[in-house]
């Protein structure tokens, strides 16, 4: 670089131009630019400076989407498939508190209970594994698939505990309207959090997909006739859907409308992964934490449904029987019993993962004297012991020695 030369450095967001009086520098890099810039400030030899900013690395739009922290740190309520809430709730009347089964409430009592209203937009990106990762970012990436859920809820937020009385999060119980759009984007930069933007993008061929409407916990003949059928996304169908939603919403307070509160959204206790982590407890694995979050999400969604609660208890019995067979080293019978448990209550504890391990090692475990049995017990103890009873855990420790 020669004297009186204009030195320019540009990044993806800003640019800095300096007309300086410096000596030639070989192998110029960012660190040297920073040092040279500071020296120039001290020596007051700057002729002019545009945007005097010391450069640091900047993350691109694509990196934000692919980093994963966006999804891991998502803190909003997540929409779930509605399941009827079945439990007692607390109400007040004439300065007195009383408990009553929610299915026995009158419409007026339900409306008193559901004293909050909100409109929630949740954007989930479809992962390579077929799952949904929710993100606060409303701008699309190129060639990606999304599930965008727009909810109107009349709800109450309720804290939830597990069977050990530990707090695991909140669920939103209520009635409302849900508009779901399943999108595939052809270009980046589309605002998929706004219906009008989606309609414009669909017209331009930048996005394609389908749209459907769900009426959650609202029952009347008029509502049924107003409900539009699923259709492709365009400006006309979006406009028709919004008109239908507005009309259905107005029917909530009609005397002929019956309300059946549902669990519509859940929010996990976000402090769990901070309180329990592999760094703090070597007995806890990342898989264990992941399984715990999955099970807690399931409890938040279905924990107050008595019919499902009975299935939960039955699954617990199947799991205990399966481990008894496992400790007797009866591999075929154990697999069969674990499969019964998974069928009765999908996602129960770590049963699904244990089934996969047993099937993968079935030939080696067919010999009851094989050393693989000890390795199996040790692996289950380390990675898949979440929510297991103390008796099973102690037995695993004993067999793993």
């Amino acid at each position: 670089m020669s004297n009186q030369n204009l030195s320019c450095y540009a990044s993806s967001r800003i640019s800095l131009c300096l007309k300086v009086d410096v000596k030639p520098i070989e192998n110029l890099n960012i660190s040297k630019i920073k040092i040279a810039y500071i020296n120039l400030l001290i020596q007051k030899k700057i002729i002019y400076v545009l945007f005097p900013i010391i450069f640091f690395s900047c993350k691109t739009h694509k990196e934000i989407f692919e980093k994963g922290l966006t999804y891991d740190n998502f803190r909003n309520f997540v929409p779930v498939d509605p399941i009827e809430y079945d439990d007692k709730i607390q109400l007040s009347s004439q300065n007195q508190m009383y408990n009553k089964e929610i299915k026995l409430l009158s419409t007026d009592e339900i409306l008193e209970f559901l004293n909050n209203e909100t409109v929630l937009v949740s954007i989930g990106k479809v992962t390579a594994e077929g799952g949904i990762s929710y993100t606060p970012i409303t701008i699309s990436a190129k060639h990606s698939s999304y599930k965008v859920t727009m909810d109107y809820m009349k709800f109450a937020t309720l804290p939830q505990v597990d069977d050990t009385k530990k707090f695991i999060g909140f669920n939103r119980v209520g009635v409302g309207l849900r508009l779901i759009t399943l999108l595939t984007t052809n270009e980046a930069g589309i605002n998929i959090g706004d219906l009008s933007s989606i309609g414009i993008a669909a017209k331009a061929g930048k996005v394609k997909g389908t749209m459907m409407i769900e009426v959650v916990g609202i029952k009347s003949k008029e509502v049924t006739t107003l409900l539009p059928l699923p259709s492709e996304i365009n400006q006309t169908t979006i406009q028709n859907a919004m008109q239908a939603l507005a009309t259905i919403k107005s029917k909530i307070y009609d005397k002929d409308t019956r309300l059946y509160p549902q669990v519509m959204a859940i929010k996990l206790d976000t402090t769990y992964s901070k309180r329990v982590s592999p760094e703090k407890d070597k007995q806890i694995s990342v898989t264990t934490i992941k399984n715990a979050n999955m099970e807690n999400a399931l409890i938040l969604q279905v924990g107050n449904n008595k019919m499902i609660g009975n299935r939960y208890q039955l699954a617990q019995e199947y799991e205990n029987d399966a481990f008894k067979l496992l400790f007797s080293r009866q591999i075929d019978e154990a697999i069969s019993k674990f499969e019964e448990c998974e069928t009765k209550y999908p996602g129960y504890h770590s049963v699904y993962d244990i089934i996969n391990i047993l099937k993968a090692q079935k030939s080696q475990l067919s010999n009851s004297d094989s050393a693989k049995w000890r390795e199996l017990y040790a692996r289950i103890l380390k990675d898949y012991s979440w929510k297991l009873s103390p008796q099973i855990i102690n037995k695993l420790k004993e067999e793993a020695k």
Side-chain angles (χ1 to χ4, degrees):
M1 185 183 299
S2 60
N3 292 345
Q4 302 297 329
N5 191 27
L6 184 65
S7 302
C8 297
Y9 174 77
S11 71
S12 61
R13 294 186 181 181
I14 54 177
S15 62
L16 175 68
C17 298
L18 303 174
K19 191 172 183 181
V20 299
D21 185 11
V22 296
K23 296 181 179 180
I25 302 176
E26 296 179 1
N27 299 323
L28 186 65
N29 57 34
I30 302 302
S31 298
K32 291 182 178 180
I33 288 179
K34 296 176 185 177
I35 295 171
Y37 178 65
I38 294 171
N39 289 335
L40 287 168
L41 284 174
I42 296 173
Q43 297 173 17
K44 298 181 179 180
K45 290 186 177 181
I46 301 176
I47 297 178
Y48 60 85
V49 180
L50 298 178
F51 301 99
I53 301 172
I54 300 176
F55 293 99
F56 298 94
S57 61
C58 299
K59 294 182 179 178
T60 65
H61 181 269
K62 183 177 179 181
E63 287 174 331
I64 292 175
F65 272 101
E66 296 179 348
K67 181 67 176 176
L69 293 177
T70 298
Y71 307 133
D72 293 341
N73 294 328
F74 187 67
R75 294 294 181 263
N76 212 335
F77 277 84
V78 172
V80 295
D81 291 333
I83 290 182
E84 192 166 351
Y85 188 80
D86 186 11
D87 205 349
K88 289 184 177 181
I89 63 169
Q90 192 174 64
L91 297 169
S92 64
S93 177
Q94 298 179 351
N95 297 324
Q96 289 186 344
M97 304 297 296
Y98 65 97
N99 294 325
K100 191 174 181 179
E101 289 284 348
I102 196 166
K103 288 186 176 181
L104 301 179
L105 298 181
S106 66
T107 299
D108 288 340
E109 287 175 322
I110 291 175
L111 291 173
E112 179 187 347
F113 170 54
L114 306 178
N115 53 11
N116 300 314
E117 296 186 46
T118 189
V119 175
L120 174 67
V121 179
S122 304
I123 298 175
K125 185 176 182 181
V126 180
T127 64
E129 296 79 18
I132 302 290
S133 294
Y134 285 92
T135 167
I137 297 176
T138 62
I139 304 301
S140 71
K142 189 175 182 180
H143 298 315
S144 297
S145 297
Y146 298 91
K147 179 180 180 181
V148 182
T149 305
M150 301 183 183
D151 281 327
Y152 160 74
M153 298 183 201
K154 186 167 182 59
F155 69 98
T157 301
L158 304 176
Q160 184 74 46
V161 296
D162 62 10
D163 52 2
T164 64
K165 305 302 180 183
K166 292 182 180 178
F167 172 72
I168 59 173
F170 298 94
N171 51 28
R172 279 184 172 172
V173 176
V175 298
L177 306 167
R178 173 169 289 174
L179 190 151
I180 301 172
T181 53
L182 303 174
L183 307 172
T184 300
T185 57
N186 297 323
E187 293 186 12
I190 301 170
N191 182 6
I192 55 177
D194 179 72
L195 280 177
S196 59
S197 297
I198 293 175
I200 294 171
K203 184 177 181 180
K206 298 179 180 179
V207 64
K208 60 183 178 179
T210 57
M211 178 177 61
M212 65 190 77
I213 292 177
E214 294 180 354
V215 178
V216 182
I218 305 171
K219 181 180 179 181
S220 80
K221 291 182 180 180
E222 288 189 70
V223 167
T224 301
T225 59
L226 289 168
L227 190 63
L229 296 175
S231 57
E232 292 186 1
I233 295 174
N234 57 53
Q235 289 177 308
T236 301
T237 57
I238 288 175
Q239 183 178 2
N240 293 340
M242 296 306 295
Q243 290 176 349
L245 290 174
T247 305
I248 294 172
K249 179 175 175 288
S250 68
K251 302 296 180 183
I252 290 178
Y253 290 91
D254 285 2
K255 62 178 181 178
D256 295 329
T257 300
R258 297 288 298 167
L259 303 177
Y260 302 91
Q262 317 270 313
V263 177
M264 296 184 64
I266 63 174
K267 182 177 182 179
L268 285 168
D269 174 19
T270 55
T271 65
Y272 173 76
S273 58
K274 296 179 181 179
R275 291 183 283 106
V276 181
S277 66
E279 290 77 14
K280 294 180 179 180
D281 186 347
K282 298 303 181 182
Q283 298 298 320
I284 300 294
S285 67
V286 174
T287 302
T288 298
I289 294 175
K290 182 179 179 181
N291 289 340
N293 286 333
M294 290 175 61
E295 176 156 339
N296 287 343
L298 191 61
I299 294 173
L300 285 171
Q301 185 177 5
V302 304
N304 292 92
N305 189 294
K306 294 177 181 177
M307 184 178 295
I308 297 176
N310 293 334
R311 291 168 54 197
Y312 187 93
Q313 293 178 351
L314 193 57
Q316 189 176 43
E317 294 176 8
Y318 285 161
E319 183 189 57
N320 290 335
D321 293 340
F323 271 103
K324 289 178 182 178
L325 293 168
L326 203 64
F327 293 137
S328 299
R329 302 193 176 189
Q330 301 177 55
I331 183 63
D332 291 323
E333 293 81 357
I335 291 175
S336 178
K337 187 59 69 173
F338 275 121
E339 287 178 334
E340 286 184 51
C341 178
E342 178 66 19
T343 300
K344 183 59 65 176
Y345 197 106
Y348 184 79
H349 293 178
S350 301
V351 168
Y352 178 80
D353 296 310
I354 294 174
I355 291 172
N356 289 336
I357 294 173
L358 295 181
K359 287 183 176 180
Q361 300 182 8
K362 182 177 177 180
S363 60
Q364 297 169 304
L365 297 172
S366 59
N367 181 2
S368 59
D369 296 325
S370 172
K372 287 291 182 181
W373 279 99
R374 288 185 180 179
E375 295 178 13
L376 172 68
Y377 297 138
R379 183 176 179 184
I380 293 175
L381 182 64
K382 180 179 182 296
D383 293 335
Y384 307 110
S385 60
W386 172 253
K387 290 284 187 175
L388 292 180
S389 66
Q391 293 82 1
I392 292 178
I393 290 177
N394 290 335
K395 186 66 174 176
L396 285 170
K397 291 179 179 178
E398 180 182 332
E399 296 291 335
K401 291 180 180 177

